[in-house]
Amino acid sequence: MKRIGIIYGMENSFPTAVVDAVNALQLSDVRAEHVKIGGILMAQASGYDVLIDRISQDIPFYRAWLKNEALNGCHIINNPFWWSADDKFFHYALAAKLGVAVPPTVMLPHREHPEGTTALAMRNLIYPLNWDEIFDYIGFPAYLKPHLYGGGRHIYRVDSPEQFFAAYNSTGRLGMLLQSEVRYQDFFRCYVIDRTHVRIMPYDPARPLGKRYLQDSRPYSPELLERLEREALTLCRALDYEINLVEFAVSDGVPVVIDFLNPAPDADLFSIGEIGRAS
């Protein structure tokens, strides 16, 4: 019997839908289930053949368990080793190397020393930074946001150096990016499954949660949709992610990638609703 498990946090509709859909196939040798685990025994397998990870980005305990499962031959969606190694700044640099449009972006030092370190650990850092050079490169308005998974947290829109410093001074030990704002006409979220299938969904981040995926969007050109699909697949294949969500802001007809470190993207029915591919 092949066992498929799913681990998750606060979401409800997607995990249950996956388990119910697999079990509804009534395959004699496959069963899907909601995972239950306790203490992790070193180098011992729990018996799962496939695990779908929806929460380990927030819970290090689960990430350790998934790596132990991978060691024992379990297939993890998404690979916990790749996922652990990635960050948004690397992703933007990768996209630029792949020829996908990216907003100008700068990685900034931690505002406060990482725990257990002092100024002596930062002797290789230029201080003070050449802020004029950074601001000239990025321009304003801009966004200050974490370089790791953020879940929409600690994101600041800043219109001036004064606003930037007020926000940056509140970020503590977080690693932060400063990124140029993209003035866009359209925004899309693209779900990519198995590095093969893409669901392109018009999206309005300014709307209230639950109404951001647009049911009444205007028609889009086949050329734009083809480019969104091609570039979403290019990025996810480069990262080897089996599930990911890629965000594009379209400025003067050019898709600019805003975020694609989403290996456990929001899939709750309340958030997404019933929506098909953009047309």
Side-chain angles (χ1 to χ4, degrees):
M1 173 70 70
K2 299 291 185 181
R3 296 174 65 200
I4 300 172
I6 184 166
I7 60 170
Y8 51 95
M10 297 176 64
E11 63 179 341
N12 293 309
S13 58
F14 180 73
T16 299
V18 170
V19 170
D20 290 348
V22 172
N23 291 336
L25 297 174
Q26 297 184 334
L27 303 174
S28 60
D29 59 345
V30 177
R31 182 177 75 250
E33 57 192 61
H34 303 269
V35 169
K36 297 290 185 183
I37 59 174
I40 306 168
L41 302 184
M42 181 184 65
Q44 295 190 28
S46 63
Y48 286 102
D49 298 278
V50 176
L51 286 165
I52 303 171
D53 175 17
R54 305 285 301 166
I55 191 60
S56 76
Q57 72 275 11
D58 293 326
I59 310 293
F61 168 77
Y62 289 141
R63 185 62 59 88
W65 177 64
L66 290 169
K67 290 178 179 179
N68 193 66
E69 289 297 300
L71 181 66
N72 284 286
C74 182
H75 184 85
I76 316 294
I77 304 172
N78 282 291
N79 184 314
F81 297 98
W82 281 117
W83 193 347
S84 298
D86 281 338
D87 64 74
K88 292 180 186 291
F89 186 64
F90 169 75
H91 278 201
Y92 292 129
L94 174 66
K97 290 291 187 181
L98 292 171
V100 178
V102 185
T105 305
V106 170
M107 180 76 194
L108 300 174
H110 307 282
R111 179 61 183 83
E112 297 178 6
H113 298 310
E115 186 175 1
T117 68
T118 68
L120 289 176
M122 306 299 290
R123 283 181 289 180
N124 297 103
L125 179 68
I126 295 171
Y127 186 84
L129 270 66
N130 188 338
W131 290 110
D132 289 338
E133 179 183 57
I134 292 171
F135 295 151
D136 287 345
Y137 173 67
I138 296 295
F140 290 102
Y143 283 91
L144 182 67
K145 57 187 180 180
H147 85 298
L148 294 175
Y149 345 105
R153 300 182 296 269
H154 307 293
I155 297 177
Y156 308 90
R157 184 182 186 275
V158 292
D159 289 309
S160 65
E162 293 75 21
Q163 289 186 10
F164 164 78
F165 286 116
Y168 183 53
N169 289 342
S170 72
T171 58
R173 294 169 177 160
L174 293 174
M176 302 297 290
L177 303 172
L178 185 64
Q179 184 173 79
S180 299
E181 181 181 72
V182 177
R183 298 184 185 276
Y184 61 87
Q185 293 77 48
D186 295 290
F187 200 101
F188 295 91
R189 280 188 156 191
C190 302
Y191 267 83
V192 182
I193 305 295
D194 196 29
R195 301 176 294 274
T196 304
H197 307 288
V198 182
R199 177 66 60 87
I200 301 172
M201 296 178 289
Y203 186 80
D204 185 351
R207 288 192 178 191
L209 185 64
K211 297 182 179 180
R212 294 176 182 173
Y213 290 91
L214 306 181
Q215 305 285 350
D216 54 353
S217 61
R218 64 177 179 81
Y220 303 102
S221 72
E223 293 78 14
L224 174 61
L225 296 176
E226 190 279 332
R227 181 169 176 177
L228 289 169
E229 180 173 310
R230 182 180 70 250
E231 295 192 349
L233 288 172
T234 295
L235 295 168
C236 292
R237 287 169 179 168
L239 292 168
D240 202 31
Y241 282 158
E242 295 171 274
I243 296 177
N244 197 15
L245 186 147
V246 184
E247 292 187 344
F248 290 100
V250 180
S251 177
D252 297 325
V254 177
V256 180
V257 68
I258 300 298
D259 188 12
F260 59 110
L261 181 54
N262 294 293
D266 180 13
D268 192 275
L269 185 62
F270 168 76
S271 301
I272 297 175
E274 300 288 346
I275 186 168
R277 177 183 169 129
S279 59

